Amino acid sequence: MEDGISSFWGPVTSTTEWCEKNYIYSSYIAEFYNTISNIPCILLALIGLINALRQRFEKRFSVLHISNMILAIGSMLFHATLQQVQQQSDETPMVWEMLLYIYILYSPDWHYRSTMPTFLFLYGALFAVAHSQIRFSIGFKVHYAILCFLCIPRMYKYYIHTQDVSAKRIAKLYAATLFLGSVCVGCLIVYSARKYRTGPSIHRVMPCGMS
């Protein structure tokens, strides 16, 4: 119980607990703002899926938008419950989505078309099994960051070779929002580090989930 509101889901079992206070507005939602912030992600992914189907893009792009929706729903479940199983429903789709990004970026020039999707599928399946048995913390964050960095060289190649002004504008906007988001997260980590340094639960929860 926190601030007089009891937890419907029971004690926190996830390895990550974020800076937001738990169960402020509802006994069903642990981290209210972290939960509802995923709603725009679902709506934007839905819009992307509709446009991809309407313009008859390749199926890989439709699958990507569906993956975005699944990821956002998993994130909502995790932040609403702070349970270990729901944490996996958030983190495992994160890895799957990055594998899908890698496929979308690299598959057009891949000489052996069947090897890449097969390898990525097996990799994703093995990760899901391992993640269900082992509680990753820092290891998961490092692993996810590596997958993200693997996408950068290919994205840069597309950027320098495209002549589409709108595509370049979107790429610049993406880079700017990514930088701004990183700065905000950095500020949040610093704030939380100061907050939890003298808190009673520092032995269990590090700032912003950095356990």
Side-chain angles (χ1 to χ4, degrees):
M1 179 179 295
E2 185 169 329
D3 291 345
I5 300 180
S6 61
S7 164
F8 176 83
W9 308 105
V12 173
T13 60
S14 63
T15 59
T16 300
E17 186 176 359
W18 297 82
C19 306
E20 186 177 347
K21 290 184 178 181
N22 300 340
Y23 301 105
I24 298 298
Y25 300 103
S26 171
S27 60
Y28 297 98
I29 302 178
E31 298 176 339
F32 183 79
Y33 292 106
N34 279 339
T35 300
I36 65 172
S37 63
N38 286 282
I39 295 177
C41 300
I42 297 176
L43 296 177
L44 290 173
L46 181 60
I47 293 173
L49 176 61
I50 293 173
N51 287 332
L53 294 174
R54 181 181 299 168
Q55 299 182 51
R56 298 183 179 181
F57 288 168
E58 296 178 41
K59 290 183 178 179
R60 55 195 173 119
F61 294 103
S62 297
V63 173
L64 178 62
H65 293 304
I66 294 174
S67 174
N68 285 330
M69 283 190 282
I70 293 174
L71 175 58
I73 293 171
S75 180
M76 290 184 72
L77 292 174
F78 167 47
H79 289 293
T81 64
L82 291 180
Q83 298 296 299
Q84 173 66 20
V85 174
Q86 280 71 29
Q87 181 180 1
Q88 293 171 357
S89 72
D90 175 33
E91 293 180 346
T92 298
M94 287 174 63
V95 171
W96 287 350
E97 186 174 37
M98 291 313 304
L99 295 177
L100 184 56
Y101 272 116
I102 290 173
Y103 172 74
I104 290 175
L105 290 170
Y106 286 94
S107 62
D109 295 334
W110 197 260
H111 297 294
Y112 304 99
R113 293 296 180 89
S114 62
T115 57
M116 174 174 281
T118 301
F119 170 76
L120 294 178
F121 175 82
L122 293 176
Y123 187 95
L126 289 174
F127 173 82
V129 173
H131 194 35
S132 67
Q133 302 298 320
I134 304 173
R135 289 198 169 196
F136 297 110
S137 183
I138 293 296
F140 169 80
K141 297 175 178 65
V142 172
H143 174 247
Y144 184 75
I146 291 174
L147 294 179
C148 293
F149 282 125
L150 287 176
C151 296
I152 293 178
R154 191 64 176 183
M155 293 174 65
Y156 180 72
K157 180 181 178 181
Y158 281 128
Y159 177 79
I160 61 175
H161 283 89
T162 185
Q163 301 299 320
D164 192 304
V165 177
S166 298
K168 286 184 175 291
R169 187 182 300 114
I170 292 174
K172 292 178 180 178
L173 180 62
Y174 166 77
T177 54
L178 183 63
F179 174 77
L180 179 62
S182 299
V183 170
C184 291
V185 170
C187 294
L188 185 61
I189 290 175
V190 172
Y191 168 78
S192 298
R194 293 177 179 176
K195 176 181 177 181
Y196 281 103
R197 188 172 293 123
T198 58
S201 60
I202 193 170
H203 66 283
R204 186 181 65 82
V205 181
M206 294 295 285
C208 283
M210 299 299 291
S211 54

